[in-house]
Each structure stands twice: as C-alpha cells, then as structure tokens.
Amino acid sequence: MGAELTGDAFAGWMHRALGEVEAALGRWVPADAPAGLGEAMRYAVLDGGKRVRPLLVLAAAEAVAGARAAALRAAVAVELIHAYSLVHDDMPCMDNDVLRRGKPTVHVRFGQAQAMLAGDAMQALAFEVLTPDDDPALPPPLQARLCGLLARAAGHAGMAGGQAIDLAHVGHALDEGALREMHRRKTGALLQASVLMGAACGAVDAAAWQALAAYGEAIGLAFQVVDDVLDATQPSQALGKTAGKDADAHKPTYVTVLGLAAARERAQALHAEALAALGRSGLAHTGRLHDLAGLIVARHH
Ligand code: GRG
C-alpha cells in the first residue's frame, strides 16, 4: 500500500503483522487437500493481496488489549473469506476476469471447477480456523461470537447479498443512496466485521463497540470509494487486476455517479467520519486504527 505513506513505527508494526498473517496462512491452508485442491487454495490466498482486513482485525484487537492468538485466527479467517470471494467473483459467471493480485486468476490457472471448489473450501476453512479444539485463547463463547460476526458479514445480509445487488444492476442506473447500500453490504460489511472481530477478542463496553462499528462502516465505504477512484485512474499493472472493468461493464461506481472530484472529496469526508468515531470510542490505543484509516484513503493500489 506504500510504506512512504506511513511513519516508521507504524511501518514496523505493519511489517511484523503482515509477517505473522502470512506465516499463519501458510500453516493453516493445507497443501495436502486432495487432487490439487490444496495447490489451488494456496495459490488463491498466499503471496498476494494487501491484507487490509487482517490488519484491521489486529489493530482493533490491540485497541482493546485483545488476545493476540485469538486475533490472529480471526485475521486469517477474514482473509480466507475475502480471498474466496475474489476467486468466485473472477469466474466467468460473475465478473469474468483473468488478472488478480498480479497473477492469472484461479479459474484461468486451475479450471473453473477447481476454482469453485477452492473458494468453497476456503469459506469452510475460515470457520474451521475459528473453531479449534485445543486453543485456550479461543473459548467456545468467543468462537461462537467470531463465527457469528463473520457469517453475517459474508452472507445474504452482507457480501453475498451485495454481490447479488451488484449483478442485478449491470447497465442500470443507481442513485447514490442505493450505491451506498450495495457497497455497505458487498465490501463494507467484511471490512466492518474485521474491526468488530478484533474488538471481540478483548474487553469492550457498548459505547466503544458502537464507535468501532461506526469507524468500520466509514472506513469500509471509504475503501470502496477509493477503489472506484483507483479503478478509473490507475493502469491494470499498478492495480494487479484489470482496471476500468466496472465502468466498461456499465456498472455504476462512485466515479460514474458522483464524478471524480466529488468521489475524492467523499473519501476524505468518510476518513474524517472514521477518525471522529475513534475519538468517541474512549479507547486509549487506537493509533493503529487511526493510521490504517489514513493508509486506506491514501493507497495507490
Ligand atoms: C462472490 C459472494 C461473492 C462476493 C464477491 C468482494 C466481492 C464480492 C467482489 C470483489 C469485486 C471488487 C473488485 C470489489 C471492489 C472492492 C474490493 C473488495 C476489492 C478487492 O479488495 P482488496 O483491494 O484486494 O483488499 P487484495 O487483493 O489487496 O486483497
């Protein structure tokens, strides 16, 4: 996302966090799943991606002094759900894309059936990671809480529902309110859940929970607005995915609905909303969340 956008302490924190997430994904995504499935799963999720969602989980857990081992499982689980959604989204029956994270998409590399199965298996693996038999950092009530937050963000009320709205609106106009509602589900719900799953790993009162939920909602939407701006202004090589696809497919975006300048202003306004929510949280250690919000709106890919 650009280390030049961050201070040294934050860059160091991010480097360590990314290393932990990468190592945990490497441990928990099985190479030996049958008939090449493991290879397809590992191709889909290892060695690529900005890991924004895992970083949000770990930053939120730090804000509430949450257990690191639990937060790491939550971080891996949310990345598995995100990576599965990208695999399915890229398939010919959905967005039909050939480039993702700078590599050929999973169905291009392994075939459509294997890509579908890899996505299915990653979705299930996310919940396996959240429900270990033998990890004292994750007592059963916390396991249930994390599973509930993730399932609700990934399912009909969240990402899958948002994707259904998206597919139903190819070639149709959407006003800003409807666009916001679609993205609240499709992209925002999982980003917000990342924050809340991190928060669930520690002790947090109702006011702080509400404030973190508002932070997650604002940053989730800001992420999408910035995504639309980058999609309209950056080449595919910089993004590691095919640029301009939504506009080419006549899908409404923040840039087509608001215009480029207003979309940039909207991202700034949402950033300010996110920081105001952190200020209301009453939590002392929100520095990482603060810096991540800045990184999300200032990112170049
Ligand atoms: C298949 C149920 C299902 C849902 C797919 C999230 C999604 C829904 C589709 C992805 C389409 C897309 C490009 C949305 C824009 C925002 C977004 C989620 C971008 C990709 O996330 P990044 O930028 O990707 O965090 P990396 O590769 O860095 O992890």
Side-chain angles (χ1 to χ4, degrees):
M1 282 186 283
E4 76 281 5
L5 298 170
T6 66
D8 282 351
F10 181 62
W13 176 85
M14 224 170 84
H15 183 74
R16 280 192 303 281
L18 289 172
E20 271 182 83
V21 168
E22 218 51 47
L25 282 165
R27 272 195 312 279
W28 284 328
V29 182
D32 61 353
L37 183 60
E39 195 193 341
M41 292 166 75
R42 290 175 73 85
Y43 179 89
V45 74
L46 299 182
D47 187 28
K50 297 179 289 296
R51 312 298 194 209
V52 171
R53 295 154 193 81
L55 289 171
L56 285 169
V57 175
L58 296 177
E62 283 193 22
V64 300
R68 186 71 167 188
L72 190 59
R73 283 186 179 272
V76 165
V78 83
E79 184 66 17
L80 284 166
I81 293 289
H82 168 59
Y84 120 70
S85 83
L86 298 180
V87 173
H88 283 190
D89 183 66
D90 287 335
M91 289 182 69
C93 60
M94 291 210 193
D95 217 25
N96 194 18
D97 215 329
V98 295
L99 181 68
R100 172 70 65 184
R101 294 178 163 178
K103 305 188 289 194
T105 45
V106 177
H107 69 274
V108 168
R109 174 79 168 71
F110 296 93
Q112 286 194 52
Q114 192 74 295
M116 191 156 74
L117 288 172
D120 292 340
M122 286 192 286
Q123 177 164 207
L125 180 60
F127 293 97
E128 291 177 43
V129 167
L130 290 178
T131 52
D133 288 331
D134 54 355
D135 190 339
L138 253 94
L142 179 55
Q143 294 187 14
R145 183 112 173 88
L146 293 173
C147 285
L149 287 165
L150 188 57
R152 283 169 182 77
H156 66 93
M159 186 177 72
Q163 179 79 342
I165 298 172
D166 188 2
L167 294 175
H169 284 85
V170 176
H172 296 276
L174 275 183
D175 65 23
E176 198 198 337
L179 188 68
R180 182 181 175 118
E181 179 52 20
M182 175 179 83
H183 286 309
R184 187 186 65 72
R185 294 169 188 254
K186 183 179 139 180
T187 315
L190 199 59
L191 286 155
Q192 185 188 44
S194 304
V195 175
L196 294 178
M197 288 170 75
C201 294
V204 58
D205 65 23
W209 183 267
Q210 287 308 322
L212 289 175
Y215 166 88
E217 183 167 357
I219 216 58
L221 205 54
F223 182 94
Q224 182 63 53
V225 177
V226 171
D227 211 72
D228 287 351
V229 168
L230 292 175
D231 203 49
T233 56
Q234 299 290 318
S236 301
Q237 198 190 5
L239 299 178
K241 61 184 181 182
T242 312
K245 279 209 76 182
D246 285 354
D248 291 350
H250 305 289
K251 284 187 185 177
T253 74
Y254 274 97
V255 173
T256 59
V257 171
L258 297 180
L260 189 55
R264 286 189 166 125
E265 281 168 22
R266 184 56 49 88
Q268 292 305 324
L270 288 162
H271 180 221
E273 258 182 53
L275 298 190
L278 284 186
R280 291 196 302 276
S281 72
L283 296 167
H285 301 292
T286 54
R288 304 303 180 212
L289 288 172
H290 183 285
D291 289 348
L292 275 175
L295 202 55
I296 284 169
V297 291
R299 69 197 170 98
H300 303 309
H301 65 279

